Amino acid sequence: LFETGVKSCSSSNACATLALIIALGFGSHAGKEAIAAAQPALEGMGLSPLEYAMLSVAPVAAGIVTPVLWGALYDRGFQHRVRVLQLAPAGEFFGALFISAGLHKRGHKLLSNGLLLLGFLLTSLCKSGVHVAQVATAARVCGRLTAVA
């Protein structure tokens, strides 16, 4: 379905691709919404209001520039589309993992800050890649389905 030049689109392939699109959306949305729910626990761990504000804004900070970069990579062909579909969710996952580890290690200031910085950077850079892959894949699937019908 991601290859160029494919003339037909099977409904099972389209359904599997739409399931992937939905899964990417749930993962991205859940990661964003988890921060607000964790606010009381983070405050109890000693996170200041400024640190909490930075924590809630950081995952979308690079979202101003990176959609163009992810979109350009996605548009370069089949192999690049596959890379975007692999790298963006993996980067967002590892970013969340580093943020969790950084919050867990709050007693070790240098290690905690390094893990948080790495986590924020990865999450911020990759969140828009997930969105680009989700929207571009949906557009390709819907375009193929309407062309077949």
Side-chain angles (χ1 to χ4, degrees):
L1 182 62
F2 297 107
E3 293 183 43
T4 56
V6 176
K7 300 292 183 203
S8 65
C9 177
S10 72
S11 61
S12 63
N13 195 8
C15 289
T17 304
L18 289 173
L20 172 66
I21 293 166
I22 292 168
L24 288 172
F26 279 136
S28 183
H29 181 74
K32 181 178 69 174
E33 298 302 318
I35 294 172
Q39 192 272 336
L42 295 172
E43 187 178 323
M45 292 170 52
L47 207 64
S48 74
L50 179 61
E51 289 173 318
Y52 176 76
M54 289 171 39
L55 176 66
S56 61
V57 169
V60 294
I64 297 167
V65 177
T66 55
V68 174
L69 301 175
W70 284 108
L73 180 62
Y74 186 92
D75 198 39
R76 293 185 73 188
F78 175 71
Q79 292 298 329
H80 296 284
R81 286 185 203 113
V82 171
R83 284 193 188 110
V84 169
L85 287 167
Q86 292 169 339
L87 293 175
E92 195 171 6
F93 170 78
F94 283 110
L97 192 66
F98 288 131
I99 290 170
S100 296
L103 291 172
H104 180 70
K105 294 290 185 186
R106 291 291 292 168
H108 307 323
K109 197 72 166 169
L110 186 60
L111 177 60
S112 173
N113 289 343
L115 288 168
L116 287 169
L117 180 64
L118 181 59
F120 290 150
L121 183 64
L122 273 173
T123 301
S124 188
L125 291 173
C126 294
K127 185 173 282 299
S128 61
V130 170
H131 187 69
V132 164
Q134 183 183 17
V135 172
T137 302
R140 292 179 67 78
V141 169
C142 293
R144 294 260 167 85
L145 290 177
T146 55
V148 172

